Amino acid sequence: MPKTTLAQAQTDLRRRNKIRSTLGSWAMVFPAILFLCVFTLYPMFNLVQISMYRGNAANAYKKYIGLENYRQLLFVRREFLIALKNTAYYTFIHMFLLIALSVIFAVWLQKDRKINNFAQTAFFVPHLVASVSCAFIWSWIFSTDTSGLMNTVLRAFGLPARNWLGSTSTAMNCVIVMNTWKSIGYYALIILSALKAIPAEIYEAARLDSSSTCKTFFKITLPMLSPQLFMLLITITTGSFKVFDSIRIMTNGGPGTSTQVLCMFIYEFAFNRNNSLGMGAAGGVMLMLILILITLFDFKGLEKKVHYQ
């Protein structure tokens, strides 16, 4: 066989192998792409479309009104801005408490104690319980009835009982306590696994330099935990903005509007009011945009401070 013909055959063989490899790769990822398009991208575009109409669940496209729903949200209806403020308050306090307590518990669990195996299991169990069940449990704890645990303890010490879930000053904080209690074990175990992955040689070098415990924690431990803390920041923030079930069970948005959050606002307008599905969809689009902006800010601004090993 002439050399030119042999070279051409080898080139054709490589081309066919490359095409088969490319097609095989696309075939492997096609189910994931299809799932993403059907259950993520299409609902997003459909949500934007519905937000430009006035309609209900039976007829979502009853009347085209353009950006009127967004104008109502931002400049006319105070409910949306109140829900946004409450959601921001819940997210900030919940995120701060969850990250701080997770680090504290993880540092405590890192030490070799016999009780730690039990403590890890005890901290993690609430994460396995459904949010609705946790909400019912804590509704009983904060109940104003004679069987309510918190008020029973207060009365035992001669203190007056409080209407925990019925007061505008305590209702949101009670929800934050419940959700922090439920999630702290899961995030503490993530931080604990990261702590155990830090090389012991680093701490030995710090001890040789006579570094104090506080200085070692802030100069070595926290920087080494920054990738996990950054991941927790994003997941807790996005999850907190979507809080719904616990508030629905414990306070139903009350008293007044003190625990009305964005998802409660979306649910109310999408399903409980006539011809306001577009308003609820507009609220969903606003929530989506807020989460996108927060995530972009985290990756563009805060990721620079993350210390990757």
Side-chain angles (χ1 to χ4, degrees), residues 35-294:
F35 185 89
L36 179 67
C37 293
V38 173
F39 295 102
T40 301
L41 296 180
Y42 170 74
M44 288 172 57
F45 290 114
N46 187 244
L47 185 69
V48 175
Q49 184 182 12
I50 293 176
S51 69
M52 297 183 181
Y53 287 81
R54 178 181 291 118
N56 50 42
N59 185 7
Y61 308 102
K62 184 178 292 186
K63 182 181 178 181
Y64 178 78
I65 56 175
L67 300 178
E68 176 62 20
N69 285 324
Y70 295 96
R71 189 188 72 83
Q72 291 281 331
L73 282 182
L74 297 175
F75 302 109
V76 178
R77 294 189 176 274
R78 294 183 63 251
E79 301 102 308
F80 177 77
L81 297 180
I82 291 174
L84 181 59
K85 183 186 71 173
N86 291 337
T87 305
Y89 174 82
Y90 171 88
T91 300
F92 178 78
I93 302 298
H94 180 57
M95 176 189 65
F96 175 79
L97 287 177
L98 202 50
I99 292 179
L101 293 177
S102 296
V103 173
I104 292 172
F105 279 111
V107 171
W108 179 69
L109 291 171
Q110 186 185 17
K111 296 181 180 179
D112 189 15
R113 300 190 186 96
K114 292 182 179 180
I115 196 176
N116 280 3
N117 291 331
F118 170 77
Q120 290 180 29
T121 304
F123 288 156
F124 188 73
V125 165
H127 178 72
L128 303 177
V129 182
S131 296
V132 174
S133 300
C134 292
F136 278 116
I137 293 171
W138 281 86
S139 295
W140 164 72
I141 292 175
F142 291 122
S143 174
T144 56
D145 298 336
T146 55
S147 61
L149 181 60
M150 288 294 294
N151 284 332
T152 300
V153 173
L154 290 178
R155 283 190 290 264
F157 286 95
L159 300 174
R162 298 197 61 177
N163 189 5
W164 297 97
L165 297 177
S167 172
T168 57
S169 61
T170 57
M172 180 63 82
N173 293 327
C174 291
V175 177
I176 293 174
V177 168
M178 190 283 292
N179 282 306
T180 302
W181 168 83
K182 183 183 185 306
S183 303
I184 190 171
Y186 173 74
Y187 293 112
L189 289 182
I190 294 177
I191 299 298
L192 178 61
S193 63
L195 283 172
K196 292 183 176 181
I198 299 176
E201 294 82 3
I202 299 178
Y203 291 113
E204 292 175 2
R207 283 194 293 270
L208 291 175
D209 289 339
S210 301
S211 176
S212 64
T213 303
C214 183
K215 186 177 181 180
T216 300
F217 178 77
F218 285 101
K219 296 294 185 179
I220 296 177
T221 304
L222 279 185
M224 298 295 286
L225 292 177
S226 56
Q228 288 74 28
L229 294 176
F230 180 69
M231 184 271 291
L232 262 61
L233 175 66
I234 295 176
T235 55
I236 294 173
T237 301
T238 54
S240 297
F241 262 88
K242 296 182 291 184
V243 62
F244 174 78
D245 44 5
S246 57
I247 290 181
R248 175 71 172 171
I249 297 297
M250 295 179 69
T251 64
N252 198 26
T257 58
S258 60
T259 58
Q260 183 82 5
V261 291
L262 286 176
C263 286
M264 287 289 297
F265 174 89
I266 295 169
Y267 175 83
E268 174 70 20
F269 278 84
F271 301 106
N272 290 344
R273 301 195 184 190
N274 293 327
N275 295 325
S276 61
L277 179 61
M279 185 72 68
V285 173
M286 295 297 294
L287 175 59
M288 179 176 64
L289 292 177
I290 290 171
L291 292 178
I292 291 173
L293 291 175
I294 291 176

